[in-house]
Amino acid sequence: MQWSQYFLPTLREEPKDAEAVSHKLMVRAGLIRRLGSGAYSYLPLGVRVLHKVMAIIRQEMARAGAQECLLPALQPLELWKATGRDRTLGDVLIRFKDRTGKDMVLGPTHEEVITSLVAEVTSHRQLPLILYQIQTKFRDEPRPRSGVIRSKEFLMKDAYSFDLDVEGLNRSYQRMFEAYQRLFERCGLMVMACEAETGAMGGDVSHEFMAESPSGEDLVVRCASCGYAANREAAKCHLSPVTCHLSPEQPKPLEEVKTPGKHTVEQVSQFLHVPPSALIKTMLYESDAGPVAVLIRGDHEVNEAKLTRALPTVGLKLAGAATIERLSGAPMGFTGPVKLSGVRLIVDHAVMAVVNGVTGANKAETHLLNVNPGRDFTPSQVADVRMVTAEDRCVRCGDALAFVRAIEVGHVFKLGTKYSQALGAFVQDAGGAKQPMIMGCYGIGVNRIVAAIVEQRHDANGILWPSAIAPFAVLISVLEAANDQARQAAQDAARRLEDAGHDVLVDDREQSPGSKLKDADLIGIPVQVVIGKVWQAQGCLEVVERATKARQQVAPETLVVAVEKLLDKR
Ligand code: ATP
Ligand code: MG
């Protein structure tokens, strides 16, 4: 391929709307262009990378026994009503009416469609079945950001497993889990498999594959000693009493203090000269089964995913100012658990270890001192309902934890029978009884893989593609494009490499040598062959490894061997 004829516009300037390194580099290196909020065009160079990633995914899916299919993006809303996800997905679901007035959606994922399709399977003998597709998904994301890391239209590889029993599901899950580890490694992406929340998807076991990057939206908590890793949203907290400043103290009698205008943890702790960990926050929520108060230490944060799981109720939402006044008899900021009636009290484990704590007094401008759990209020339930902190210890081995930022590139779930029950996907078991199929689902963001690789592999001058997914293996730069002999030498070198099966781009543009070398580093093709001064003086080609900038001079006859050595390395 000749660059002079190739649609590969590079940019010196960073796009104004970009913060993430991958976003800047993918635009500057001519891989993508923004069309509108959360919508990107892929230019030929970008498409080549996507295709390489998809080829690896397809190979690993085939090895895991998954069969490729292709499902419509255009779906009747009715199908989503059958599982209730028309409500749980809310505004993320893009809805419209077709010309006959029928309610339609653009698929944000395909559990409903695949389950209704697989309902055709009637015998356990046809199981296990794993189907997958690579298809465009549509999500009206509230905050599209970081280029293709979070867009409204993106490519997903989504796979679904169908089994007769839980053992079968466990086997399918394990197979897909291992396929994911292999395919990320082949793409040159470093990932951590983390315990994760299941969210709107349902099911009870799930893992996210996280690529460490400062541009990641997720926080992963990781233990260096035992390898435990979990999304912060899902990370369990150690249940033994957490360090408490006052624990050696004896319980003292309750006392009321005036705290005029002090609502926040910070204000109250400064005013009363106590650390935030001595405060007990009382957060009021509304739920379908009535009001709930969550008690959490002043220096901790409620984890709503854990809270939702701890409660038998649904429809949890933070209470507004009016509800708070009605339930507690005091304005917001002064709620407390003592004599709070008609409200279910969910108390975090760490609160139970507080001695002589401070809470709101359910009276305007007033707090209570020396509040002791068990003595002054009785929990309805004690549970782990808080976010893990950097001071927490690993739940598995008790060692220190660290937080790292990461991009979620893949997510696998044990779904169970939520979708098969709702959509009538049953099979007859060996005894002739009808059973709902047990499902798993397995997603990968294809575009996100590309962006995450750029996040992990770049330097100050541009991208460093791993050879497995590089858009071309070799870039030949003819520094003096007007020189016929130099151009001919480039064609000869390209032919040798192409005959050996490598993709080659020849930079034959009439531009200054300096700007061509800059562009070469920017687009990040792993091996660069320079035809310039050395070639003119000695007839040798200069072979440069993009990642290290190590250079060597080779005769045209040994070019292929030299290039292959470098490609094997990366
Ligand atoms: P997130 O938490 O980042 O919103 P999700 O949990 O909703 O993602 P899944 O439904 O698990 O995503 O989708 C499977 C995969 O699709 C994700 O692991 C991610 O790699 C990719 N993906 C999800 N949303 C987007 C998006 N808006 N843009 C690009 N890729 C996405
Ligand atoms: Mg996810």
Side-chain angles (χ1 to χ4, degrees):
M1 180 56 70
Q2 309 292 305
W3 195 332
S4 61
Q5 305 301 305
Y6 196 49
F7 184 42
L8 170 48
T10 56
L11 303 173
R12 290 279 164 266
E13 297 290 311
E14 287 173 355
K16 285 193 186 67
D17 61 328
E19 278 172 31
V21 175
S22 55
H23 185 188
K24 292 176 188 169
L25 285 174
M26 287 178 77
V27 172
R28 286 190 52 216
L31 298 160
I32 56 166
R33 288 292 183 264
R34 181 178 183 274
L35 175 68
S37 169
Y40 286 84
S41 305
Y42 277 78
L43 280 56
L45 199 71
V47 166
R48 290 184 78 95
V49 182
L50 280 180
H51 283 168
K52 297 228 163 147
V53 171
M54 290 192 280
I56 292 175
I57 292 176
R58 287 194 164 99
Q59 284 167 10
E60 292 301 338
M61 285 299 108
R63 270 178 80 180
Q67 305 164 40
E68 185 164 3
C69 55
L70 185 59
L71 309 169
L74 204 58
Q75 305 168 8
L77 178 67
E78 234 176 275
L79 197 54
W80 291 80
K81 287 192 171 153
T83 56
R85 286 215 294 180
D86 59 320
R87 282 189 299 120
T88 46
L89 284 170
D91 291 338
V92 163
L93 198 58
I94 299 180
R95 304 156 203 246
F96 61 98
K97 285 191 191 296
D98 72 6
R99 63 166 72 206
T100 67
K102 193 171 160 65
D103 288 312
M104 304 294 293
V105 309
L106 290 178
T109 172
H110 280 76
E111 283 75 16
E112 281 77 358
V113 177
I114 194 92
T115 311
S116 66
L117 183 70
V118 172
E120 264 188 43
V121 171
T122 51
S123 163
H124 71 98
R125 278 188 288 273
Q126 292 162 275
L127 303 183
L129 186 61
I130 306 181
L131 295 172
Y132 82 98
Q133 63 169 345
I134 298 181
Q135 216 246 25
T136 304
K137 306 285 188 223
F138 299 87
R139 295 183 182 179
D140 198 353
E141 295 276 359
R143 280 174 300 280
R145 63 182 286 275
S146 308
V148 298
I149 293 179
R150 183 172 299 283
S151 50
K152 294 190 182 186
E153 181 183 328
F154 58 96
L155 278 171
M156 195 200 285
K157 186 290 301 173
D158 44 325
Y160 307 90
S161 65
F162 299 86
D163 281 278
L164 177 66
D165 48 30
V166 173
E167 294 72 45
L169 167 66
N170 291 344
R171 277 193 298 274
S172 297
Y173 190 83
Q174 187 59 24
R175 262 158 111 181
M176 294 306 273
F177 194 97
E178 286 164 12
Y180 273 38
Q181 286 177 315
R182 278 198 302 270
L183 75 87
F184 288 124
E185 192 183 332
R186 283 184 61 190
C187 288
L189 188 65
M190 286 175 294
V191 296
M192 308 169 268
C194 301
E195 292 181 5
E197 268 304 325
T198 49
M201 198 64 80
D204 49 19
V205 172
S206 109
H207 287 90
E208 284 166 338
F209 289 81
M210 292 285 195
E212 189 171 349
S213 152
S215 302
E217 285 179 55
D218 287 277
L219 273 178
V220 169
V221 38
R222 198 169 43 173
C223 170
S225 302
C226 74
Y228 171 76
N231 191 317
R232 178 171 178 256
E233 295 277 312
K236 300 180 189 82
C237 296
H238 213 296
L239 299 187
S240 64
V242 196
T243 46
C244 182
H245 75 295
L246 290 169
S247 47
E249 268 189 49
Q250 287 306 308
K252 294 190 233 167
L254 268 184
E255 204 181 306
E256 236 181 59
V257 279
K258 284 286 164 208
T259 48
K262 313 292 176 207
H263 312 260
T264 64
V265 167
E266 206 188 346
Q267 290 166 342
V268 176
S269 105
Q270 274 174 10
F271 185 74
L272 297 176
H273 307 290
V274 293
S277 57
L279 265 56
I280 299 171
K281 284 188 282 193
T282 306
M283 322 264 295
L284 287 175
Y285 284 83
E286 292 177 86
S287 83
D288 291 1
V292 174
V294 179
L295 267 61
I296 205 96
R297 233 169 60 177
D299 57 336
H300 288 157
E301 244 180 280
V302 175
N303 179 325
E304 289 190 358
K306 286 184 183 176
L307 182 59
T308 306
R309 258 187 287 112
L311 290 169
T313 57
V314 287
L316 197 72
K317 67 173 203 286
L318 259 177
T323 312
I324 293 177
E325 276 217 63
R326 179 171 53 80
L327 292 172
S328 74
M332 203 189 279
F334 300 95
T335 314
V338 183
K339 301 206 180 91
L340 183 66
S341 57
V343 179
R344 193 181 165 89
L345 279 192
I346 309 289
V347 183
D348 184 68
H349 286 283
V351 166
M352 296 307 288
V354 173
V355 179
N356 298 330
V358 177
T359 70
N362 298 326
K363 207 189 254 187
E365 321 282 321
T366 315
H367 277 80
L368 288 177
L369 301 182
N370 307 326
V371 176
N372 287 284
R375 185 192 72 178
D376 302 317
F377 63 87
T378 309
S380 317
Q381 187 179 344
V382 177
D384 172 15
V385 289
R386 68 179 173 91
M387 290 284 188
V388 72
T389 70
E391 285 88 53
D392 277 298
R393 312 299 290 184
C394 174
V395 270
R396 283 214 197 127
C397 74
D399 236 322
L401 293 173
F403 282 108
V404 284
R405 270 207 171 275
I407 300 169
E408 177 196 323
V409 285
H411 201 163
V412 293
F413 299 84
K414 289 188 186 174
L415 284 179
T417 56
K418 169 176 168 176
Y419 296 90
S420 46
Q421 296 261 21
L423 294 158
F426 290 84
V427 281
Q428 278 195 334
D429 65 17
K434 265 180 120 190
Q435 306 280 359
M437 291 184 227
I438 302 186
M439 289 175 60
C441 79
Y442 316 88
I444 283 186
V446 180
N447 321 72
R448 269 197 199 173
I449 292 186
V450 176
I453 289 169
V454 176
E455 289 286 333
Q456 290 187 350
R457 292 172 174 259
H458 66 270
D459 64 13
N461 300 320
I463 301 171
L464 310 171
W465 291 118
S467 47
I469 63 143
F472 291 93
V474 184
L475 171 69
I476 303 177
S477 301
V478 188
L479 296 190
E480 208 188 324
N483 179 333
D484 288 344
Q485 280 176 321
R487 283 221 311 275
Q488 188 55 49
Q491 293 315 322
D492 293 345
R495 189 157 315 118
R496 281 177 198 276
L497 289 163
E498 281 166 357
D499 286 349
H502 305 294
D503 295 332
V504 181
L505 177 65
V506 176
D507 187 359
D508 60 338
R509 296 170 305 162
E510 302 212 352
Q511 283 194 8
S512 75
S515 85
K516 288 178 135 174
L517 294 174
K518 271 210 171 80
D519 273 350
D521 282 354
L522 176 62
I523 67 171
I525 289 168
V527 179
Q528 305 169 342
V529 174
V530 180
I531 299 185
K533 286 209 178 85
V534 174
W535 176 80
Q536 247 159 13
Q538 302 164 29
C540 279
L541 305 165
E542 268 185 290
V543 176
V544 184
E545 185 182 24
R546 166 65 185 94
T548 60
K549 297 305 273 176
R551 323 171 76 83
Q552 48 179 312
Q553 298 180 3
V554 303
E557 301 73 43
T558 56
L559 176 66
V560 172
V561 177
V563 165
E564 287 180 350
K565 257 197 198 135
L566 293 177
L567 290 175
D568 284 350
K569 250 175 79 182
R570 327 236 106 240

